[in-house]
Coordinates of all heavy atoms in Angstrom, one line a residue:
M248 N -1.0 1.5 10.9 CA -0.6 0.5 9.9 C -1.8 0.0 9.1 O -2.9 -0.2 9.7 CB 0.0 -0.7 10.7 CG 0.7 -1.8 9.8 SD 1.8 -1.1 8.5 CE 3.4 -1.2 9.4
R249 N -1.7 -0.1 7.9 CA -2.9 -0.5 7.0 C -2.9 -2.0 7.0 O -2.0 -2.7 6.9 CB -2.7 0.0 5.6 CG -2.7 1.5 5.5 CD -2.5 1.9 4.1 NE -3.8 2.0 3.4 CZ -4.6 3.0 3.5 NH1 -4.4 4.0 4.2 NH2 -5.7 2.9 2.8
E250 N -4.2 -2.5 7.0 CA -4.4 -3.9 6.9 C -5.0 -4.2 5.5 O -5.8 -3.4 5.0 CB -5.4 -4.4 8.0 CG -4.8 -4.8 9.2 CD -5.8 -5.4 10.2 OE1 -6.9 -5.7 9.9 OE2 -5.4 -5.6 11.4
C251 N -4.7 -5.3 5.0 CA -5.2 -5.7 3.7 C -6.7 -5.9 3.8 O -7.1 -6.6 4.7 CB -4.5 -7.0 3.2 SG -5.1 -7.6 1.6
I252 N -7.4 -5.4 2.8 CA -8.9 -5.5 2.9 C -9.3 -6.9 2.5 O -10.4 -7.3 2.7 CB -9.6 -4.5 1.9 CG1 -9.0 -4.6 0.5 CG2 -9.5 -3.1 2.5 CD1 -9.9 -3.9 -0.5
R253 N -8.4 -7.7 1.9 CA -8.7 -9.0 1.4 C -8.4 -10.1 2.4 O -9.2 -10.9 2.7 CB -8.0 -9.3 0.1 CG -8.5 -8.5 -1.0 CD -8.1 -9.0 -2.4 NE -8.4 -8.1 -3.4 CZ -9.6 -8.1 -4.1 NH1 -10.5 -8.9 -3.7 NH2 -9.8 -7.2 -5.0
C254 N -7.1 -10.0 2.9 CA -6.7 -11.1 3.8 C -6.3 -10.7 5.2 O -6.0 -11.5 6.0 CB -5.5 -11.9 3.1 SG -4.0 -10.9 3.0
G255 N -6.3 -9.4 5.5 CA -6.0 -8.9 6.8 C -4.5 -8.8 7.2 O -4.2 -8.4 8.3
E256 N -3.7 -9.1 6.3 CA -2.2 -9.0 6.5 C -1.8 -7.6 6.6 O -2.5 -6.7 6.0 CB -1.5 -9.7 5.3 CG 0.0 -9.8 5.4 CD 0.4 -11.0 6.3 OE1 -0.4 -11.7 6.7 OE2 1.6 -11.0 6.5
Q257 N -0.7 -7.3 7.3 CA -0.2 -5.9 7.4 C 0.4 -5.6 6.0 O 1.2 -6.3 5.5 CB 0.8 -5.8 8.5 CG 0.2 -5.7 9.9 CD 1.2 -5.2 10.9 OE1 2.3 -5.1 10.7 NE2 0.6 -4.8 12.0
M258 N 0.0 -4.4 5.5 CA 0.5 -4.0 4.2 C 1.8 -3.2 4.3 O 2.0 -2.6 5.3 CB -0.6 -3.2 3.5 CG -1.9 -3.9 3.3 SD -3.1 -3.0 2.3 CE -2.6 -3.4 0.6
K259 N 2.6 -3.3 3.2 CA 3.8 -2.5 3.1 C 3.4 -1.1 2.6 O 3.0 -1.0 1.5 CB 4.8 -3.2 2.2 CG 6.1 -2.5 2.0 CD 7.1 -3.4 1.3 CE 8.3 -2.6 0.8 NZ 8.9 -1.7 1.7
E260 N 3.5 -0.1 3.5 CA 3.1 1.2 3.1 C 4.2 2.1 2.5 O 5.4 1.7 2.5 CB 2.6 2.0 4.4 CG 1.3 1.4 4.9 CD 0.9 2.2 6.1 OE1 1.7 2.4 7.0 OE2 -0.3 2.6 6.2
G261 N 3.8 3.2 1.9 CA 4.8 4.2 1.4 C 5.5 3.7 0.1 O 6.5 4.2 -0.3
C262 N 4.8 2.8 -0.6 CA 5.3 2.4 -1.9 C 4.9 3.5 -2.9 O 4.1 4.4 -2.6 CB 4.8 1.1 -2.3 SG 5.1 -0.2 -1.2
A263 N 5.5 3.5 -4.0 CA 5.2 4.5 -5.0 C 4.6 3.9 -6.3 O 4.8 2.7 -6.5 CB 6.5 5.3 -5.4
I264 N 3.9 4.7 -7.0 CA 3.3 4.2 -8.2 C 3.8 5.1 -9.3 O 4.0 6.3 -9.1 CB 1.8 4.2 -8.2 CG1 1.2 3.4 -9.4 CG2 1.1 5.5 -8.1 CD1 -0.2 3.0 -9.2
R265 N 4.2 4.6 -10.4 CA 4.8 5.3 -11.5 C 4.1 4.9 -12.8 O 3.9 3.7 -13.1 CB 6.3 5.1 -11.6 CG 7.1 6.3 -12.1 CD 8.5 5.9 -12.2 NE 8.8 5.6 -13.6 CZ 9.7 4.8 -14.0 NH1 10.6 4.2 -13.2 NH2 9.9 4.5 -15.3
V266 N 3.9 5.9 -13.6 CA 3.3 5.6 -14.9 C 4.4 5.6 -15.9 O 5.1 6.6 -16.2 CB 2.2 6.7 -15.4 CG1 1.6 6.3 -16.7 CG2 1.1 6.8 -14.3
E267 N 4.7 4.4 -16.5 CA 5.8 4.3 -17.4 C 5.4 4.9 -18.8 O 4.3 4.9 -19.2 CB 6.1 2.8 -17.7 CG 7.1 2.3 -16.6 CD 7.7 1.0 -17.1 OE1 8.4 0.9 -18.0 OE2 7.3 0.0 -16.4
G268 N 6.4 5.5 -19.4 CA 6.2 6.1 -20.7 C 5.6 7.5 -20.6 O 5.3 8.1 -21.7
S269 N 5.4 8.1 -19.4 CA 4.9 9.4 -19.3 C 5.7 10.2 -18.4 O 6.2 9.8 -17.4 CB 3.4 9.3 -18.8 OG 2.9 10.6 -18.5
A270 N 5.8 11.5 -18.7 CA 6.6 12.4 -17.9 C 5.8 13.0 -16.8 O 6.3 13.6 -15.8 CB 7.2 13.5 -18.7
T271 N 4.5 12.8 -16.8 CA 3.6 13.4 -15.8 C 3.2 12.4 -14.8 O 2.9 11.3 -15.1 CB 2.4 14.0 -16.5 OG1 1.7 13.0 -17.2 CG2 2.7 15.2 -17.4
G272 N 3.2 12.8 -13.6 CA 2.8 11.9 -12.5 C 1.3 12.0 -12.3 O 0.6 12.7 -12.9
I273 N 0.9 11.1 -11.4 CA -0.5 11.1 -11.1 C -0.8 12.1 -9.9 O -0.1 12.0 -8.9 CB -1.0 9.7 -10.7 CG1 -0.9 8.8 -11.8 CG2 -2.5 9.8 -10.2 CD1 -1.2 7.3 -11.5
I274 N -1.6 13.1 -10.1 CA -2.0 14.0 -9.0 C -3.5 13.9 -8.8 O -4.2 13.8 -9.7 CB -1.6 15.5 -9.5 CG1 -0.1 15.6 -9.8 CG2 -2.0 16.5 -8.4 CD1 0.3 16.8 -10.5
M275 N -3.8 13.9 -7.5 CA -5.2 13.8 -7.2 C -5.8 15.2 -6.7 O -5.1 15.9 -6.0 CB -5.4 12.8 -6.1 CG -5.2 11.4 -6.7 SD -5.6 10.1 -5.5 CE -4.4 10.5 -4.3
S276 N -7.0 15.4 -7.0 CA -7.6 16.7 -6.6 C -9.1 16.4 -6.1 O -9.7 15.4 -6.6 CB -7.6 17.6 -7.7 OG -8.4 18.8 -7.4
T277 N -9.6 17.2 -5.2 CA -11.0 17.1 -4.8 C -11.9 17.7 -5.8 O -13.1 17.5 -5.8 CB -11.2 17.7 -3.4 OG1 -10.7 19.1 -3.5 CG2 -10.5 16.9 -2.4
K278 N -11.3 18.6 -6.7 CA -12.2 19.3 -7.7 C -11.6 18.9 -9.0 O -10.5 19.2 -9.3 CB -12.1 20.8 -7.5 CG -12.7 21.2 -6.2 CD -12.4 22.7 -5.9 CE -12.7 23.1 -4.5 NZ -12.0 24.3 -4.1
E279 N -12.5 18.4 -9.9 CA -12.1 17.9 -11.2 C -11.4 19.0 -12.0 O -10.5 18.8 -12.7 CB -13.3 17.3 -11.9 CG -12.9 16.5 -13.1 CD -14.0 15.8 -13.8 OE1 -15.2 16.2 -13.5 OE2 -13.8 14.9 -14.6
N280 N -12.0 20.2 -12.0 CA -11.5 21.3 -12.8 C -10.6 22.3 -12.1 O -10.2 23.3 -12.7 CB -12.7 22.1 -13.4 CG -13.5 21.1 -14.3 OD1 -13.0 20.4 -15.1 ND2 -14.8 21.2 -14.1
A281 N -10.2 22.0 -10.9 CA -9.3 22.9 -10.2 C -8.2 22.1 -9.6 O -8.2 21.8 -8.4 CB -10.1 23.6 -9.1
M282 N -7.2 21.7 -10.4 CA -6.2 20.8 -10.0 C -5.2 21.5 -9.0 O -4.5 20.8 -8.3 CB -5.4 20.4 -11.2 CG -6.1 19.3 -12.0 SD -6.6 17.9 -11.1 CE -5.1 17.0 -10.8
F283 N -5.3 22.8 -8.9 CA -4.4 23.4 -7.9 C -5.0 23.8 -6.6 O -4.5 23.4 -5.5 CB -3.7 24.7 -8.5 CG -2.7 24.2 -9.6 CD1 -3.1 24.2 -10.9 CD2 -1.4 23.8 -9.3 CE1 -2.2 23.8 -11.9 CE2 -0.5 23.4 -10.2 CZ -0.9 23.4 -11.6
S284 N -6.2 24.4 -6.6 CA -6.9 24.7 -5.4 C -7.4 23.5 -4.6 O -7.4 23.5 -3.4 CB -8.0 25.7 -5.6 OG -9.0 25.1 -6.5
G285 N -7.8 22.5 -5.4 CA -8.3 21.3 -4.7 C -7.3 20.2 -4.6 O -7.6 19.1 -4.2
R286 N -6.1 20.6 -4.8 CA -5.0 19.6 -4.8 C -4.8 18.9 -3.5 O -4.6 19.6 -2.5 CB -3.7 20.3 -5.2 CG -2.7 19.4 -5.8 CD -1.7 20.2 -6.6 NE -0.6 19.4 -7.1 CZ 0.2 19.7 -8.1 NH1 -0.1 20.8 -8.7 NH2 1.2 19.0 -8.5
I287 N -4.8 17.6 -3.5 CA -4.5 16.9 -2.2 C -3.2 16.1 -2.3 O -2.9 15.3 -1.4 CB -5.7 16.0 -1.9 CG1 -6.1 15.1 -3.1 CG2 -6.9 16.7 -1.4 CD1 -7.1 14.1 -2.8
G288 N -2.5 16.3 -3.3 CA -1.1 15.7 -3.3 C -1.1 14.4 -4.1 O -2.0 14.0 -4.8
Y289 N 0.1 13.8 -4.0 CA 0.3 12.5 -4.8 C -0.2 11.3 -4.0 O -0.1 11.3 -2.8 CB 1.9 12.4 -5.0 CG 2.4 13.5 -5.8 CD1 3.1 14.6 -5.2 CD2 2.3 13.5 -7.2 CE1 3.6 15.6 -6.0 CE2 2.8 14.6 -8.0 CZ 3.5 15.6 -7.3 OH 4.0 16.6 -8.1
P290 N -0.7 10.4 -4.8 CA -1.2 9.2 -4.1 C 0.0 8.3 -3.6 O 1.0 8.2 -4.2 CB -1.9 8.4 -5.2 CG -1.3 8.9 -6.5 CD -0.8 10.3 -6.2
K291 N -0.3 7.7 -2.4 CA 0.7 6.7 -1.9 C 0.1 5.3 -2.2 O -1.0 5.1 -2.4 CB 0.8 6.9 -0.4 CG 1.4 8.3 0.0 CD 2.9 8.2 0.1 CE 3.4 9.5 0.5 NZ 4.9 9.4 0.8
V292 N 1.0 4.4 -2.1 CA 0.6 3.0 -2.4 C 1.0 2.1 -1.3 O 2.1 2.2 -0.7 CB 1.3 2.5 -3.7 CG1 0.9 1.1 -4.0 CG2 0.8 3.4 -4.9
A293 N 0.1 1.2 -0.9 CA 0.4 0.1 0.0 C 0.2 -1.2 -0.7 O -0.8 -1.4 -1.4 CB -0.5 0.2 1.3
I294 N 1.1 -2.1 -0.5 CA 1.0 -3.4 -1.1 C 1.0 -4.5 -0.1 O 1.8 -4.5 0.9 CB 2.2 -3.6 -2.1 CG1 2.2 -2.5 -3.1 CG2 2.1 -5.0 -2.8 CD1 3.5 -2.5 -4.0
C295 N 0.1 -5.5 -0.3 CA 0.0 -6.6 0.6 C 1.1 -7.6 0.2 O 1.1 -8.1 -0.9 CB -1.4 -7.2 0.6 SG -1.5 -8.7 1.6
P296 N 2.0 -8.0 1.2 CA 3.0 -9.0 0.8 C 2.5 -10.4 0.7 O 3.2 -11.3 0.2 CB 4.0 -8.8 2.0 CG 3.2 -8.3 3.1 CD 2.1 -7.5 2.5
K297 N 1.3 -10.6 1.2 CA 0.7 -12.0 1.2 C 0.0 -12.3 -0.1 O 0.2 -13.3 -0.7 CB -0.2 -12.2 2.4 CG -0.5 -13.6 2.7 CD -1.3 -13.7 4.0 CE -1.8 -15.1 4.3 NZ -2.7 -15.1 5.5
C298 N -1.0 -11.4 -0.4 CA -1.9 -11.7 -1.6 C -1.6 -10.8 -2.8 O -2.2 -11.0 -3.8 CB -3.3 -11.7 -1.2 SG -4.0 -10.0 -0.9
G299 N -0.8 -9.7 -2.5 CA -0.5 -8.8 -3.7 C -1.5 -7.7 -3.9 O -1.4 -7.0 -4.9
E300 N -2.5 -7.6 -3.0 CA -3.5 -6.5 -3.1 C -2.8 -5.1 -3.1 O -1.9 -4.9 -2.3 CB -4.5 -6.6 -2.0 CG -5.5 -5.4 -1.9 CD -6.6 -5.4 -2.9 OE1 -6.7 -6.5 -3.6 OE2 -7.2 -4.4 -3.1
V301 N -3.2 -4.3 -4.0 CA -2.6 -2.9 -4.0 C -3.6 -1.9 -3.6 O -4.7 -1.9 -4.1 CB -2.0 -2.6 -5.5 CG1 -1.6 -1.2 -5.5 CG2 -0.9 -3.6 -5.8
S302 N -3.2 -1.1 -2.7 CA -4.1 -0.1 -2.2 C -3.5 1.3 -2.4 O -2.4 1.6 -2.0 CB -4.4 -0.3 -0.7 OG -5.2 0.7 -0.1
I303 N -4.3 2.2 -3.0 CA -3.8 3.6 -3.3 C -4.5 4.5 -2.3 O -5.7 4.4 -2.1 CB -4.1 4.0 -4.7 CG1 -3.4 3.1 -5.7 CG2 -3.7 5.4 -5.0 CD1 -3.7 3.3 -7.2
Y304 N -3.7 5.3 -1.6 CA -4.3 6.1 -0.5 C -3.7 7.5 -0.5 O -2.6 7.7 -1.1 CB -4.2 5.4 0.9 CG -2.8 5.2 1.3 CD1 -2.2 6.1 2.2 CD2 -2.0 4.1 0.8 CE1 -0.9 5.9 2.7 CE2 -0.7 4.0 1.3 CZ -0.1 4.8 2.2 OH 1.2 4.7 2.6
V305 N -4.3 8.4 0.3 CA -3.8 9.7 0.5 C -3.3 9.9 1.9 O -4.0 9.5 2.8 CB -4.9 10.8 0.2 CG1 -4.4 12.2 0.3 CG2 -5.5 10.5 -1.2
E306 N -2.1 10.4 2.1 CA -1.6 10.6 3.4 C -2.2 11.8 4.1 O -2.6 11.7 5.3 CB -0.1 10.8 3.3 CG 0.7 9.7 4.1 CD 2.2 9.8 3.9 OE1 2.7 10.8 3.4 OE2 2.8 8.8 4.2
N307 N -2.4 12.9 3.4 CA -2.9 14.1 4.0 C -4.4 14.2 3.8 O -5.0 14.8 2.9 CB -2.3 15.3 3.4 CG -2.6 16.6 4.2 OD1 -3.3 16.6 5.2 ND2 -2.0 17.7 3.7
V308 N -5.2 13.5 4.7 CA -6.6 13.5 4.6 C -7.3 14.8 5.2 O -8.5 15.0 5.0 CB -7.3 12.3 5.3 CG1 -6.9 11.0 4.5 CG2 -6.8 12.1 6.7
E309 N -6.5 15.6 5.8 CA -7.0 16.9 6.4 C -7.7 17.7 5.3 O -8.7 18.4 5.5 CB -5.9 17.7 7.1 CG -5.5 17.1 8.4 CD -6.7 17.1 9.4 OE1 -7.4 18.1 9.5 OE2 -6.9 16.0 10.0
K310 N -7.1 17.7 4.1 CA -7.6 18.6 3.0 C -8.9 18.1 2.5 O -9.6 18.8 1.7 CB -6.5 18.6 1.9 CG -5.3 19.4 2.2 CD -4.4 19.5 1.0 CE -3.1 20.3 1.4 NZ -2.1 20.3 0.3
L311 N -9.3 16.9 2.9 CA -10.6 16.4 2.4 C -11.8 16.8 3.3 O -12.9 16.6 2.9 CB -10.5 14.8 2.3 CG -9.5 14.2 1.3 CD1 -9.4 12.7 1.6 CD2 -9.9 14.5 -0.1
K312 N -11.4 17.3 4.4 CA -12.5 17.7 5.4 C -13.0 19.1 5.1 O -12.4 19.9 4.5 CB -12.0 17.6 6.8 CG -11.7 16.1 7.2 CD -11.0 16.0 8.5 CE -10.6 14.5 8.7 NZ -9.6 14.4 9.8
Ligands
ZN956 ZN1 -3.7 -9.4 1.4

């Protein structure tokens, strides 16, 4: 469970982020010019229900090692 970095409250995980007005989603990569080989997937979002802090994180951290 993720804790809010600001207030320590348990964050609501597994939320999604969407870019309005665009058909393309946000994809993260470990290599700026190799979006497929360095691809680490879509970002996940956790939101703190107490203070509203938004945290964007990656579920599959194995690919970063
Ligand atoms: Zn908080």
Side-chain angles (χ1 to χ4, degrees):
M248 192 49 91
R249 296 179 86 79
E250 269 185 12
C251 177
I252 54 166
R253 293 192 188 275
C254 68
E256 185 80 6
Q257 284 198 347
M258 300 184 86
K259 181 169 164 44
E260 291 181 312
C262 302
I264 193 165
R265 211 187 96 205
V266 180
E267 274 195 68
S269 170
T271 55
I273 297 172
I274 299 166
M275 291 186 295
S276 172
T277 53
K278 295 171 195 160
E279 195 175 15
N280 298 316
M282 284 308 286
F283 290 96
S284 62
R286 201 160 175 159
I287 50 175
Y289 298 100
K291 296 270 181 172
V292 177
I294 301 170
C295 175
K297 194 175 173 187
C298 73
E300 172 74 12
V301 174
S302 177
I303 299 174
Y304 64 99
V305 182
E306 242 173 14
N307 191 358
V308 290
E309 284 301 311
K310 287 185 182 174
L311 295 170
K312 291 170 187 167

